[in-house]
Amino acid sequence: KMDRRSFLDQSKNVGLGLAGGITLLSDARSVRAAPANEKVVLGLIGCGGRGYQLAQGFAERDDCTIAMIAAVNRLTLEDRAARIGKMQGGTAPTGVEDFRQILDDPSIDAVVIATPDHWHALATVWACQAGKDVYVEKPPTHDCWEGQKMIEAARKYDRVVQCGFQSRSAPYNFAA
């Protein structure tokens, strides 16, 4: 049994822990303690609406570069590659129609998965197997079994996997 006071005290501690984790993850270099002059090389899997928004955010950072993007629509792929290239200062990412090509590329350090929802779990597991760290959009899965497989893959292959739940860590939610 837990009374209201105990619940609030434990919630405060959890909130502080989450805030510390968010602070750590807000600087990609802090995760693996990479030297400041190294850039994280990203592959973007799914560069439609949400994927393109994420690309804009990553293109603003000095510590990473988007080297490859994947989309099934060739017209979208060519347009997004050109736009992302401009955002990154002229270096357009290589566009591929099969995201497994990104997973096979040893120069890619991490992937951003912004595909339709039903691909999130499988793409995450495959990325972990390929030795890539993962940022995956929400929802990460459609059922508990998929989520268990994602966790197993992250642990087995020693990968960093983060799911996009930005609104849960936003200041307005902490205040609420």
Side-chain angles (χ1 to χ4, degrees):
K1 285 191 161 194
M2 183 180 293
D3 61 14
R4 182 178 175 275
R5 188 177 307 271
S6 298
F7 172 78
L8 291 173
D9 187 52
Q10 286 186 4
S11 297
K12 175 187 70 169
N13 293 337
V14 169
L16 290 172
L18 285 173
I22 291 161
T23 301
L24 172 71
L25 293 176
S26 67
D27 183 356
R29 293 169 292 196
S30 66
V31 175
R32 294 259 190 223
N37 62 348
E38 284 190 24
K39 286 191 174 193
V40 176
V41 180
L42 297 173
L44 176 62
I45 301 173
C47 57
R50 182 61 181 146
Y52 185 67
Q53 290 174 338
L54 291 168
Q56 289 173 315
F58 283 111
E60 293 173 1
R61 299 182 61 98
D62 294 331
D63 58 356
C64 63
T65 185
I66 301 170
M68 291 183 82
I69 62 172
V72 294
N73 182 325
R74 173 53 62 187
L75 295 176
T76 300
L77 187 61
E78 292 171 359
D79 174 65
R80 299 298 191 203
R83 288 182 183 195
I84 293 169
K86 287 179 185 172
M87 288 187 290
Q88 294 187 138
T91 307
T94 302
V96 296
E97 291 179 28
D98 185 340
F99 76 85
R100 292 174 294 184
Q101 291 177 266
I102 291 175
L103 302 180
D104 290 340
D105 189 322
S107 70
I108 303 292
D109 300 314
V111 296
V112 176
I113 301 171
T115 60
D117 297 350
H118 62 276
W119 276 102
H120 290 179
L122 184 58
T124 298
V125 170
W126 283 355
C128 289
Q129 290 173 336
K132 314 296 184 204
D133 292 326
V134 177
Y135 171 85
V136 60
E137 267 301 316
K138 59 190 165 299
T141 71
H142 284 300
D143 60 51
C144 294
W145 182 86
E146 288 179 342
Q148 291 168 343
K149 295 303 160 192
M150 292 168 73
I151 292 168
E152 289 170 14
R155 289 178 178 163
K156 180 177 181 179
Y157 300 102
D158 193 29
R159 298 290 90 206
V160 174
V161 176
Q162 180 176 345
C163 183
F165 289 113
Q166 295 86 347
S167 62
R168 292 187 183 205
S169 59
Y172 54 84
N173 275 328
F174 278 130

